[in-house]
Amino acid sequence: MYSDKVMDHFQNPRNVGEIEDADGVGTVGNPTCGDLMTIYIKVKDNVIEDVKFKTFGCGAAIATSSMITEMAVGKTIEEALAITRNDVADELEGLPPVKMHCSNLAADALHAAIDNYKEKMGEKKPGDRCKDICSCGK
């Protein structure tokens, strides 16, 4: 069963939408379940000042997307990169084992958005992203 916090973030998601002039955008998906998440970030002075998301997926995917935006806003880039997959699930007071992949997607989407921001700032080469956040071997 889902925690009250998961249900709240599913029924009343925070920070839904997109940032038109985003400094970083990260999209990740899970081909097995069909979930797709896009995270948009706005950064000022190395601090994430705004985060939005668009998610196509189940209630847990929406809840984890909502939670990651709340966790990331106001944090430095380095602090936001330190947010782990388990941190997202913990903040939601747990997820059923079959839904843990949703917290993975949320953290991965945030990290992908940060990597995109770093690429735009010249701090990272395009294509370096995948090997940092997944195990596909690319």
Side-chain angles (χ1 to χ4, degrees):
M1 221 64 257
Y2 293 114
S3 71
D4 289 342
K5 217 168 189 182
V6 170
M7 292 305 296
D8 180 43
H9 276 269
F10 165 61
Q11 294 173 335
N12 307 292
R14 284 67 151 177
N15 305 306
V16 176
E18 66 183 87
I19 300 172
E20 296 267 338
D21 59 343
D23 294 315
V25 179
T27 300
V28 297
N30 182 321
T32 303
C33 69
D35 291 342
L36 183 68
M37 295 180 184
T38 301
I39 300 280
Y40 305 83
I41 60 172
K42 194 74 178 162
V43 181
K44 183 176 181 183
D45 299 326
N46 201 48
V47 174
I48 297 175
E49 66 175 14
D50 194 14
V51 187
K52 301 270 189 239
F53 79 91
K54 282 189 169 181
T55 293
F56 176 82
C58 66
I62 293 166
T64 57
S65 298
S66 174
M67 178 54 76
I68 197 87
T69 64
E70 288 201 328
M71 294 173 72
V73 74
K75 292 207 174 356
T76 66
I77 292 295
E78 293 75 22
E79 291 168 338
L81 276 172
I83 297 171
T84 68
R85 298 164 166 186
N86 285 334
D87 291 339
V88 179
D90 290 346
E91 281 293 316
L92 286 168
E93 299 170 356
L95 287 170
V98 297
K99 294 297 182 179
M100 281 302 291
H101 67 278
C102 294
S103 65
N104 295 352
L105 287 177
D108 290 353
L110 174 64
H111 295 166
I114 292 169
D115 282 346
N116 178 247
Y117 165 73
K118 286 183 165 194
E119 288 169 8
K120 289 179 179 180
M121 299 301 294
E123 297 175 26
K124 194 169 194 135
K125 289 185 243 163
D128 285 349
R129 175 183 324 128
C130 195
K131 69 180 179 182
D132 289 346
I133 65 170
C134 79
S135 57
C136 74
K138 292 182 183 177

